[in-house]
Amino acid sequence: MSEIQNKINQLIENRETARMGGGQKAIDKQHEKGKYTARERIQMLLDEGSFEEFDMFVTHRCYDFGMEKKHTFGDGVVTGYGTIDGRLVYVFAQDFTVTAGSLSLSMSDKICKVMDMAMRNGAPCIGLNDSGGARIQEGVNALAGYANIFQRNVMSSGVIPQISAIFGPCAGGAVYSPALTDFIIMKRETSNMFLTGPKVVKTVTGEDVTQEQLGGASMHTTKSGVAQFAVDTEEEGIQLIRQLLSYMPQNNMEDTPLAVCTDQINRLEDSLNEIIPDNPNKPYDMMEVIRAIVDNGEILESAADYAKNIITCFARFNGQSVGIIANQPKFMAGVLDINASRKAARFVRFCDAFNIPLVTLVDVPGFLPGTSQEYGGVITHGAKLLFAYCEATVPKVTVTLRKAYGGAYIVMSSKHIRGDINYAWPSAEIAVMGASGAVEVLQAKALAGFENAEEKAKFVAEKEQEYRDKFSNPYNAARYGYIDDVIEPRNTRFRIIRALQSLSTKRLQNPAKKHSNIPL
């Protein structure tokens, strides 16, 4: 056998060794936990045969605490690029079979390389996280490795889509990279995210808490809002990544991909003419409205289990990707509070960064009152949503279905904050507040003078009706041009599509600045 053939055989052998990661025993242990390996995950994520791997033969550079005896090809992360539905993406997948996926400086260098390439080539970057955290044996070098990744996350933000999937542990400094990305997907039961684990919590605060309670997928998608999606299987999570990307452009310089639309653009939805209850305090399901007007009733909801009083989702109108923000009267009457404001503001800013038009469906009675909201800074958090809409330069189409009261009317993509086309249903009520509250303020002196309860009630009813006649309709706002047209509910799909078509060439730029100072 020739010398060159020996070298080729050695290469083939080295590749096989690298593909085994931490070895068969470690792989079997990973499978026993109900988890896939890094390479199996990448294979499921990317189009068949499209993966091109980088840095397969990288090893760590640590020689302390016995690490000089433990060198594994790849060093705990698999990196490279491939395609999803034919579109270029860059990916890194942490390999738990190698030193529990703990981060070394070499691992960080590998991750940073694909992040840099993703930025240079304008393609999304996907991180599949499954790591025990920083490699303690490397000390400050491991921390430097994390910092290098974080810096790139920040520089990539708003330039290329960044998606993180958490398929195992993610603790300490490791959580900040996913937190800096656009969307986080967590698998129930096997994944967790926290800054300090249960043992440290017990030592410092005395609390007894499990990993799942402290940082599990259910907690982060319902209580903290850190993650937007929780899935039951890794297959479901990986399919979700592919679905998410289908609504996004490759980068901030491109338009969203157009899908083939098989749904008639002038389809009438008669059910919408009857969906608003006669009683203004009675709820209905805004999701029924959304599914009735978008292409084929298909949506992808983000943060579905967090701040349910507002809906944020991706959908399509005539094949065009849009981001939909809608108050949900089914929960807390669709009121805006701290969590709803934060959730919606983040979604608006993502869509604006990546040229995804915004469709806003409004039925909001105002901001949630109370000491817990005021103490929690609802003013600042509400201002985030206001800021996000004011700053957004993408096409903005707004439909007011029922209530639009007070400051919440302004915040929800009103004409005054550069809403491009603002429609209203005949059932829309645009006013400073509801009739009963308005009468209490406007007729305070008159009400104080009544001694007879019946006469007082009659007076209140008359004044409330007078207020309703004036404001419980969209025509007062339409008189001033704040509403571009009052539309028949069943015609909503067609009117939104026509509006989006007319805005396809919209050009709007914000003043030149280093960056804005959003109220954080």
Side-chain angles (χ1 to χ4, degrees):
M1 189 180 294
S2 67
E3 187 178 343
I4 188 67
Q5 191 58 50
N6 282 333
K7 289 180 178 180
I8 291 170
N9 290 342
Q10 184 64 53
L11 169 64
I12 293 168
E13 188 180 324
N14 287 346
R15 283 193 182 280
E16 286 305 311
T17 302
R19 289 192 181 104
M20 291 301 291
Q24 192 59 52
K25 280 188 180 178
I27 291 170
D28 291 343
K29 198 172 179 182
Q30 181 84 339
H31 289 161
E32 284 165 17
K33 293 177 187 174
K35 293 160 67 178
Y36 287 102
T37 66
R39 292 177 187 282
E40 287 167 342
R41 288 165 179 159
I42 289 175
Q43 190 174 359
M44 282 191 285
L45 175 67
L46 301 178
D47 297 339
E48 188 175 351
S50 70
F51 182 52
E52 294 288 336
E53 186 171 351
F54 293 132
D55 296 332
M56 180 183 268
F57 304 121
V58 164
T59 57
H60 68 75
R61 305 185 291 274
C62 176
Y63 297 94
D64 297 315
F65 304 102
M67 289 301 292
E68 69 277 1
K69 300 170 187 172
K70 301 176 184 174
H71 286 278
T72 306
F73 284 143
D75 196 34
V77 68
V78 181
T79 61
Y81 69 91
T83 60
I84 291 178
D85 292 329
R87 297 167 64 196
L88 175 67
V89 297
Y90 287 82
V91 62
F92 65 88
Q94 293 169 338
D95 187 351
F96 199 81
T97 69
V98 178
T99 59
S102 59
L103 188 102
S104 67
L105 187 58
S106 295
M107 271 180 69
S108 168
D109 289 344
K110 286 182 66 173
I111 293 170
C112 289
K113 181 189 281 190
V114 293
M115 293 178 82
D116 289 341
M117 294 185 79
M119 277 286 278
R120 279 199 301 273
N121 297 313
C125 190
I126 300 159
L128 308 178
N129 295 264
D130 186 4
S131 165
R135 194 171 295 175
I136 297 169
Q137 296 93 328
E138 294 210 8
V140 72
N141 274 340
L143 302 180
Y146 275 129
N148 291 338
I149 294 169
F150 303 160
Q151 181 66 48
R152 283 162 176 80
N153 286 134
V154 173
M155 292 298 101
S156 300
S157 182
V159 180
I160 55 171
Q162 299 178 87
I163 299 174
S164 299
I166 316 296
F167 289 146
C170 187
V175 299
Y176 283 118
S177 179
L180 292 166
T181 61
D182 298 307
F183 293 97
I184 298 176
I185 298 163
M186 294 184 72
K187 182 183 175 297
R188 293 184 180 94
E189 297 181 3
T190 58
S191 75
N192 47 67
M193 293 177 74
F194 40 68
L195 285 170
T196 49
K199 289 180 182 177
V200 177
V201 170
K202 173 70 174 172
T203 302
V204 176
T205 70
E207 291 176 275
D208 279 309
V209 64
T210 66
Q211 286 194 347
E212 187 67 20
Q213 290 168 333
L214 185 63
S218 295
M219 189 285 286
H220 279 309
T221 52
T222 59
K223 290 185 170 67
S224 72
V226 166
Q228 288 75 38
F229 303 95
V231 294
D232 292 316
T233 65
E234 291 188 20
E235 290 93 336
E236 187 185 343
I238 282 167
Q239 186 55 41
L240 186 54
I241 295 172
R242 294 177 66 96
Q243 194 180 352
L244 255 176
L245 285 171
S246 74
Y247 289 97
M248 303 174 192
Q250 289 290 89
N251 56 65
N252 66 333
M253 301 301 288
E254 293 188 9
D255 292 328
T256 54
L258 275 174
V260 176
C261 178
T262 57
D263 195 352
Q264 286 185 322
I265 65 168
N266 58 351
R267 170 172 54 80
L268 298 177
E269 197 63 47
D270 291 332
S271 63
L272 297 183
N273 279 10
E274 300 173 356
I275 199 166
I276 303 292
D278 290 334
N279 182 345
N281 297 319
K282 192 175 177 184
Y284 60 94
D285 189 354
M286 183 65 83
M287 197 58 84
E288 289 182 20
V289 176
I290 295 172
R291 291 192 187 280
I293 61 177
V294 302
D295 290 358
N296 302 308
E298 293 174 1
I299 66 163
L300 176 55
E301 188 173 3
S302 172
D305 297 319
Y306 179 73
K308 290 186 175 184
N309 39 323
I310 201 159
I311 297 167
T312 53
C313 65
F314 293 106
R316 291 185 178 89
F317 283 99
N318 195 25
Q320 180 181 5
S321 293
V322 301
I324 296 176
I325 302 91
N327 307 110
Q328 175 54 293
K330 240 177 85 170
F331 292 94
M332 299 167 61
V335 72
L336 286 174
D337 62 356
I338 289 171
N339 291 345
S341 298
R342 287 175 53 231
K343 168 181 167 179
R346 181 176 171 85
F347 188 77
V348 168
R349 295 193 97 210
F350 172 82
C351 290
D352 186 51
F354 290 104
N355 310 314
I356 301 171
L358 295 166
V359 174
T360 306
L361 304 178
V362 184
D363 186 349
V364 61
F367 280 90
L368 184 64
T371 54
S372 65
Q373 288 290 305
E374 297 294 355
Y375 295 171
V378 68
I379 295 170
T380 298
H381 294 292
K384 289 175 184 173
L385 181 54
L386 176 61
F387 196 108
Y389 268 124
C390 287
E391 188 182 44
T393 59
V394 290
K396 292 185 281 189
V397 179
T398 305
V399 184
T400 302
L401 282 62
R402 187 166 64 173
K403 298 174 184 174
Y405 292 161
Y409 154 70
I410 301 169
V411 167
M412 292 297 293
S413 197
S414 64
K415 179 66 73 178
H416 325 284
I417 57 172
R418 302 197 300 189
D420 292 301
I421 297 181
N422 293 66
Y423 293 133
W425 285 7
S427 48
E429 306 169 18
I430 301 169
V432 174
M433 61 178 69
S436 59
V439 169
E440 282 181 26
V441 174
L442 296 172
Q443 304 295 335
K445 285 185 180 179
L447 291 172
F450 279 99
E451 293 182 3
N452 184 295
E454 280 187 25
E455 289 180 7
K456 182 179 181 180
K458 185 180 177 184
F459 176 80
V460 167
E462 287 174 0
K463 291 300 176 183
E464 284 185 2
Q465 190 57 49
E466 184 182 322
Y467 188 87
R468 284 194 195 97
D469 290 342
K470 188 170 181 62
F471 292 113
S472 293
N473 62 70
Y475 301 108
N476 193 48
R479 277 176 58 207
Y480 298 102
Y482 303 153
I483 294 296
D484 294 302
D485 197 9
V486 180
I487 65 173
E488 194 176 346
R490 68 177 189 156
N491 225 4
T492 303
R493 168 176 168 78
F494 180 66
R495 298 303 295 271
I496 290 175
I497 288 172
R498 289 296 301 273
L500 290 169
Q501 286 173 341
S502 73
L503 295 168
S504 63
T505 53
K506 176 185 176 183
R507 293 292 178 266
L508 178 64
Q509 283 190 325
N510 290 326
K513 62 180 91 172
K514 187 174 181 181
H515 59 73
S516 54
N517 186 20
I518 187 169
L520 296 173

